[in-house]
Amino acid sequence: MGKPKYYDFCVHAVPDGDSTAQELVSLARHFGFSGIALSNHSDRPPDRKQVLPSVEGFEVFRGIELVEEKTSKLHSLIGKFRNLTDVLIVHGGSEAVNRAALENPRVDILNHPAFDRSSGLNQVLAKAAAENGVAIGITLRPLLHSRGSRRIRLLSDLKSNLDLARKYDVSLVLCSDAMSCFDLRSPMEMLALAEVCGLEEDEALEAISTVPEKIIAKNRPGPGYIKKGIEVLEGEDLF
């Protein structure tokens, strides 16, 4: 088995964050990541395709974190962004938004599902996530920047969601949610933090390596792919 590749699928560059895309990419590469997704927040349709930095030996993916409370508009935004992005994230935080995201197979990740006195997930939503292949994001920045009762609440919500994810086989994605270079952590630090937060070693590794790779494989099909259910076959594969 080769060395695993590590990915951070929720990194915010200017104007959303405080660091440029090039600064974030350079530091992530230095830390040992194989790639990151630049996933700024948005609540409106794209006016143009995102321009990505080019770095040899390092993958930079187009991402988006949609922020919208009206579910009808959220579904519209998902449809408009889906073919323009490699990683489509929904910023949760209400029962209606969480449900809309987890019941939509075009969504890759639901981040920040907790709200009020709820962790954001229940048995019904966990089943929907598993059935539709939507992963739950575990974002480290809120945990690292919180203190006292706020951190206790975040850890409690995370534990509840981990229990549901394990019971219903829901995928997890571990990400920094970085708003600047100061929020980025190396893969080894992220794995260690995830284990402190309650993930098993194999769960943390899958969340930063295997699951992100599956998301990219789903959204970037091979050269023989035309559309779902249709594939180009060559030579002897024709008969």
Side-chain angles (χ1 to χ4, degrees), residues 123-134:
Q123 293 183 350
V124 173
L125 293 183
K127 288 179 181 179
E131 290 170 0
N132 292 298
V134 182

Side-chain angles (χ1 to χ4, degrees), residues 10 12 16 39-46 63-69 73-82 85 87-93 97 101 104 106-112:
C10 192
H12 306 287
D16 203 15
S39 305
N40 281 1
H41 298 87
S42 183
D43 61 354
R44 64 191 65 187
I64 192 70
E65 184 168 357
L66 296 176
V67 184
E68 178 52 56
E69 294 182 2
K73 186 178 178 183
L74 177 60
H75 285 301
S76 176
L77 288 172
I78 291 169
K80 290 172 180 175
F81 274 101
R82 179 64 280 176
T85 56
V87 182
L88 197 155
I89 303 169
V90 170
H91 188 114
V97 170
N104 193 326
R106 294 175 295 177
V107 175
D108 296 316
I109 305 167
L110 173 67
N111 277 354
H112 314 294

Side-chain angles (χ1 to χ4, degrees), residues 20-211:
T20 66
Q22 189 62 56
E23 288 171 335
L24 291 163
V25 166
S26 297
L27 184 57
R29 186 172 186 266
H30 172 73
F31 279 161
F33 285 97
S34 295
I36 63 171
L38 297 172
S39 305
N40 281 1
H41 298 87
S42 183
D43 61 354
R44 64 191 65 187
D47 54 3
R48 55 189 169 85
K49 198 167 186 178
Q50 183 182 9
V51 178
L52 301 177
S54 178
V55 179
E56 185 177 354
F58 187 86
E59 294 187 275
V60 184
F61 303 108
R62 288 184 175 86
I64 192 70
E65 184 168 357
L66 296 176
V67 184
E68 178 52 56
E69 294 182 2
K70 294 181 179 179
T71 57
S72 59
K73 186 178 178 183
L74 177 60
H75 285 301
S76 176
L77 288 172
I78 291 169
K80 290 172 180 175
F81 274 101
R82 179 64 280 176
N83 291 332
L84 297 175
T85 56
D86 301 306
V87 182
L88 197 155
I89 303 169
V90 170
H91 188 114
S94 76
E95 185 174 355
V97 170
N98 292 350
R99 180 180 296 275
L102 297 176
E103 291 181 348
N104 193 326
R106 294 175 295 177
V107 175
D108 296 316
I109 305 167
L110 173 67
N111 277 354
H112 314 294
F115 60 93
D116 298 333
R117 295 183 179 277
S118 169
S119 69
L121 296 186
N122 54 39
Q123 293 183 350
V124 173
L125 293 183
K127 288 179 181 179
E131 290 170 0
N132 292 298
V134 182
I136 302 301
I138 299 174
T139 52
L140 294 178
R141 181 177 59 85
L143 284 164
L144 294 173
H145 284 237
S146 63
R147 296 290 185 274
S149 60
R150 171 61 176 163
R151 179 175 286 181
I152 292 171
R153 168 66 193 280
L154 289 172
L155 289 170
S156 175
D157 289 341
L158 175 57
K159 181 181 183 303
S160 295
N161 290 341
L162 280 176
D163 289 342
L164 285 166
R166 288 164 179 153
K167 182 175 181 179
Y168 294 101
D169 197 24
V170 179
S171 295
L172 303 171
V173 172
L174 180 63
C175 48
S176 66
D177 194 31
M179 298 297 290
S180 76
C181 287
F182 297 106
D183 291 327
L184 281 178
R185 297 292 184 272
S186 72
M188 294 302 102
E189 287 180 289
M190 290 178 68
L191 288 168
L193 285 166
E195 291 183 45
V196 169
C197 291
L199 277 76
E200 300 293 336
E201 182 179 357
D202 59 333
E203 291 176 326
L205 185 58
E206 285 190 4
I208 199 174
S209 180
T210 308
V211 176

